[in-house]
Amino acid sequence: MHCGMCLPTCPTYDLTKLEQHSPRGRIALMRAIADDHLELGPAFGEEMSYCLGCLACETACPAGVDYAHLFEVARADVEKSGVMDNPVRSSIRTALLKILFTHPRLLRLVGRMLWLYQATGAQWLFRRLGLTRLLPAKLRKLEPITPVVLPKFSHQLIRPVEKPADGTRYRVGLLTGCVQDLVFADINRDTADVLLANGCEVVTPPVQPCCGSIHGHNGEHAVAQEMARRMIDLFDPFAFDAIITNAAGCGSHLKHYGRLLADDRDYAVRAREWDRKLKDVNEWLVETGFRVPVSEAAESQKVTYHEACHLCHGQKITRQPREILQAIPGVELTELPESDWCCGSAGVYNITQPETAAILQERKVGKIASTGAAVVATCNPGCHLQLVNGMRQAGLDIRVTQPVTLLARAYRAQSPRG
């Protein structure tokens, strides 16, 4: 805890060189509060908000300190204490965390309205007329990074049960996510196609609750527990060989339902089984031996790979996405300098801490540009959006995609059945 090997890996410490902005400094603050040497006040709340939660410190720590757990408990304590409360903040948190992200149909309704706003040209006209200046300052800064909502959501692209053409080897559940469902439903379709091509019967309930990741990472422990119960009710872990996620940030949280519900006698056993069955799609494909596409059909392209923090640091999955990319004929994988350095997305960090997020985004985009790659692949919707916005702002023509999408395209190119 005192060695400081985490310091060079911490993006906020790297920026400020202040001990309080390092994992070691934050843990010292947590310890001081636990020992009643320091009062839990707004300064501590702001420090917890300044932490990205990227977990690079966990990878570097030789003592195996579980910073993710400490961080989530600290954020929950901040929320319970109410030291950060004010009417605006409380209203936004209630609207987002306790209403919008606990009602999937309402979230889709909001997504549909946003799609109409974008698809009808209203957004273009709004910007063209300069009406963004009428927005509050914070919203005005966020408006340019509004994600593009797709015309069809996951339940319109994936049937509840789909069976592989060449026989079933496994039965898996597919999680479609919240933001992923609205903005990257096509990647969910790609994921289903890749699983089908590898002998998996894919079960995708059309209406799925939020996994609770956003609640757990933002101090809403009780809501995170409730969302975990809903998810377990929807996907009985004993009924599947695996439950698949393709969103790294969600996956890092989803693999800890056992700890989250350890004291719940009605769910503890199923939660432990859930943890055992929960797999990132890259992890599952390599573990089960995915089918390598044939060489003649794949497109040639130079690809680099950005590691989502919650995949490489949170789940320790670094080798598998690279194996998949390297197996796709025509893909030339070139390593990205600082591939595991946070891009600044970090859940809602680019909204709550836009200045720091922008610095990290610019640094990441510069590293990607230095590779000369035409494509950058990543495994998390938050990173994906952050990189798309970064490329647009930098005027770079570098496409952002995900390894599973490249694999799906290679399968489709070689066979009509995918």
Side-chain angles (χ1 to χ4, degrees):
M1 174 175 168
H2 301 290
C3 74
M5 290 188 70
C6 57
L7 300 186
T9 71
C10 176
T12 53
Y13 178 79
D14 182 74
L15 284 172
T16 68
K17 304 302 182 192
L18 294 176
E19 176 75 11
Q20 71 184 72
H21 294 160
S22 74
R24 187 174 65 180
R26 292 178 180 120
I27 291 173
L29 290 173
M30 295 175 200
R31 183 65 179 268
I33 290 171
D35 292 343
D36 291 328
H37 296 152
L38 184 70
E39 187 176 346
L40 196 166
F44 180 72
E46 287 168 6
E47 186 52 54
M48 289 302 105
S49 175
Y50 190 55
C51 176
L52 290 144
C54 69
L55 308 182
C57 52
E58 279 200 357
T59 299
C61 182
V65 172
D66 188 353
Y67 183 81
H69 187 54
L70 295 174
F71 177 61
E72 288 200 358
V73 170
R75 278 197 167 177
D77 287 345
V78 168
E79 296 308 319
K80 273 190 288 187
S81 71
V83 295
M84 300 293 286
D85 286 353
N86 64 58
V88 173
R89 183 178 186 274
S90 299
S91 299
I92 292 174
R93 284 181 65 88
T94 298
L96 290 179
L97 298 182
K98 296 183 178 177
I99 298 176
L100 189 60
F101 279 93
T102 59
H103 296 84
R105 286 188 172 87
L106 176 61
L107 184 62
R108 278 183 176 161
L109 176 62
V110 172
R112 184 59 65 208
M113 292 168 63
L114 185 55
W115 174 77
L116 281 171
Y117 170 66
Q118 295 171 339
T120 59
Q123 183 182 49
W124 176 85
L125 189 61
F126 187 77
R127 291 174 173 175
R128 187 78 175 178
L129 295 176
L131 297 179
T132 52
R133 68 178 184 276
L134 302 177
L135 296 172
K138 207 158 190 175
L139 280 180
R140 193 162 58 245
K141 289 181 181 176
L142 294 175
E143 198 278 337
I145 64 171
T146 306
V148 176
V149 177
L150 295 182
K152 290 186 177 180
F153 301 155
S154 300
H155 66 294
Q156 296 168 300
L157 298 175
I158 308 171
R159 294 188 298 278
V161 178
E162 297 192 13
K163 294 181 180 292
D166 297 327
T168 299
R169 295 167 59 204
Y170 305 102
R171 185 171 191 260
V172 304
L174 176 59
L175 305 177
T176 52
C178 299
V179 174
Q180 180 97 348
D181 179 41
L182 308 184
V183 181
F184 296 119
D186 52 344
I187 294 174
N188 285 336
R189 179 66 256 179
D190 292 338
T191 303
D193 285 344
V194 165
L195 291 169
L196 289 165
N198 284 280
C200 297
E201 177 186 331
V202 182
V203 178
T204 314
V207 180
Q208 300 186 18
C210 172
C211 68
S213 170
I214 191 171
H215 307 95
H217 293 163
N218 286 282
E220 295 292 344
H221 183 72
V223 184
Q225 287 180 313
E226 178 56 29
M227 303 316 291
R229 293 187 191 100
R230 288 192 204 175
M231 196 63 91
I232 290 173
D233 285 340
L234 189 63
F235 290 92
D236 177 5
F238 289 101
F240 296 99
D241 295 301
I243 301 164
I244 304 295
T245 179
N246 56 12
C250 300
S252 186
H253 174 79
L254 284 157
K255 288 183 172 177
H256 294 96
Y257 275 5
R259 182 170 67 192
L260 191 63
L261 299 175
D263 297 327
D264 187 326
R265 65 181 181 183
D266 294 328
Y267 284 86
V269 172
R270 280 183 288 166
R272 288 196 297 272
E273 182 66 7
W274 172 283
D275 287 1
R276 200 174 70 82
K277 298 283 181 66
L278 200 289
K279 301 286 182 182
D280 175 81
V281 63
N282 300 281
E283 177 184 24
W284 171 254
L285 289 171
V286 171
E287 187 175 301
T288 55
F290 68 99
R291 180 161 62 84
V292 175
V294 295
S295 59
E296 295 82 9
E299 53 186 317
S300 297
Q301 50 197 347
K302 189 172 182 180
V303 177
T304 194
Y305 174 60
H306 160 65
E307 302 194 69
C309 297
H310 281 243
L311 195 65
C312 66
H313 301 305
Q315 301 180 59
K316 312 304 179 195
I317 294 174
T318 61
R319 170 180 54 85
Q320 296 89 333
R322 289 180 169 87
E323 282 192 26
I324 289 171
L325 289 171
Q326 287 169 330
I328 300 173
V331 166
E332 178 191 348
L333 180 63
T334 182
E335 275 298 321
L336 173 65
E338 297 184 355
S339 64
D340 61 351
W341 196 259
C342 183
C343 66
S345 173
V348 294
Y349 194 86
N350 57 356
I351 297 173
T352 59
Q353 303 284 346
E355 291 83 10
T356 303
I359 293 171
L360 294 170
Q361 181 188 48
E362 187 177 353
R363 177 171 174 160
K364 179 62 68 177
V365 168
K367 296 296 181 186
I368 293 169
S370 74
T371 66
V375 177
V376 55
T378 189
C379 300
N380 189 52
C383 302
H384 195 140
L385 291 172
Q386 183 81 340
L387 296 181
V388 166
N389 287 325
M391 298 306 165
R392 188 186 67 246
Q393 290 165 16
L396 292 172
D397 185 21
I398 300 176
R399 189 158 54 90
V400 185
T401 188
Q402 304 211 8
V404 73
T405 288
L406 294 176
L407 184 59
R409 286 178 184 167
Y411 285 152
R412 289 183 196 125
Q414 73 184 48
S415 166
R417 291 182 303 176

